[in-house]
Amino acid sequence: MNDDHAAERRQELHGYIIGLVSAILLSAIPFAGVMLGLLSPAALIWVIAVAGLVQVIVHFRFFLHIDLSRSHRDDLQLILFSLLIVVLMVGGTLWVLTNQRHMMG
Amino acid sequence: MAQAIHGKGPSHIGIRMSNAAPESRKEAARSEAEEALFGFWVFLMSDLIIFSMLFATYATMGHSLAGGPGPHELFDLGSAAWETVALLLSSFTCGLATLAMRYDRSTGKTLFWFGVTLLLGLTFLSLELHDFFTMASKGGVPSRSGWLSASWALIGTHGLHVTSGCIWMLIMFAQVAKFGLDPLVQTRFMRLALFWHFLDIVWIGIFSIVYLLGVLS
């Protein structure tokens, strides 16, 4: 194994370790918050939402190696387009069905 | 795909071919691997849409308890926390397995880390099965209410995915025994790793939305 290779390997290993440590923290915070009842329910909802979103980004960045570099543009574009479809479908479903529940309820 | 084929980012998931192969063949084999991985991303995104719709269904069923048991009676957050730990560690060991495969070219190390990943996956599944039996014993069966149908569908679909990931891993072990870690087997392992990391991301949504927000409400 040449030096370049070894440096790349070390860099990737660091990435996985950073990913693991931050993911553990980002999971532990909302679990501890809810199990120990540390904050008011309204504040906890925000903690769960933010920690969850950040953890998803951490996983994509450090475990799936998706970032903004040119070599990952195709993967990133595919993911962003899929997210657009998800937002339309999930958003539309929630909009229509909660409306319906209010009108019929 | 042109950019992906020529991309050489340091942290890119790619397959390094044997140094003995001529440069053009290495390039060709790598672009083939890149395309296979991109195709697998397309599959993962279609899977993401399935899970998103199950999440949307779950959200619309949030209040439809029909007098049946709710999250407070049915969910055990301690168990969900251990499931999270098992799956997260398995994602990490899966990463170590791909490092061992791509940089160390060590069949032994690769199989060891994928083996650990499989054991953690099975740990997750046994905890989840235990949860399912506990829920059912408290009357939380899928047919009881709309909320329960949606919960079982969402958590169950994820559990089935993890199960198929474990079966896939066993098949890969058999392939390594037969073919060794050849380039084709390596790209299959890379796709398995993508699948496994993806399932951990879906689990973040499940523990946040179903377990934590459920118990909170």
Side-chain angles (χ1 to χ4, degrees), chain A residues 1 5 8-9 12-13 16 23 31 59 63-65 70-75 82 86 89 93-94 101, chain B residues 3-4 7 11-13 16 38 45 52-53 59 63 88 92 95-96 99 102-104 194 197 200 207:
Chain A
M1 191 190 289
H5 222 94
E8 258 182 53
R9 186 193 193 286
E12 273 203 49
L13 180 62
Y16 280 114
F31 265 105
H59 278 241
F63 291 161
L64 286 165
H65 307 294
R70 285 189 76 79
S71 58
H72 302 150
R73 281 292 156 77
D74 292 312
D75 293 349
S82 308
V86 164
M89 286 169 58
T93 305
L94 294 182
R101 201 158 58 90
Chain B
Q3 282 167 6
S11 62
H12 200 272
I13 287 191
R16 282 162 185 77
F38 183 76
M45 290 301 106
S52 303
M53 292 321 290
H63 301 278
L88 184 55
F92 180 69
L96 295 185
L99 285 187
R102 289 162 50 217
Y103 291 104
D104 305 343
L194 285 183
H197 290 311
D200 200 12
F207 81 67

Side-chain angles (χ1 to χ4, degrees), chain B residues 62-143:
Chain B
H63 301 278
S64 314
L65 290 179
H72 276 289
E73 297 94 71
L74 296 178
F75 289 155
D76 172 9
L77 280 190
S79 173
W82 283 115
E83 285 162 38
T84 307
V85 169
L87 212 53
L88 184 55
L89 283 179
S90 81
S91 224
F92 180 69
T93 57
C94 181
L96 295 185
T98 59
L99 285 187
M101 182 177 77
R102 289 162 50 217
Y103 291 104
D104 305 343
R105 297 163 191 289
S106 151
T107 309
K109 270 195 197 172
T110 307
L111 289 186
F112 171 77
W113 285 117
F114 272 119
V116 175
T117 308
L118 175 64
L119 285 180
L120 286 164
L122 293 174
T123 307
F124 170 85
L125 283 175
S126 36
L127 285 168
E128 189 163 66
L129 269 181
H130 178 259
D131 278 2
F132 281 159
F133 280 117
T134 315
M135 278 173 74
S137 70
K138 290 178 183 167
V141 288
S143 54

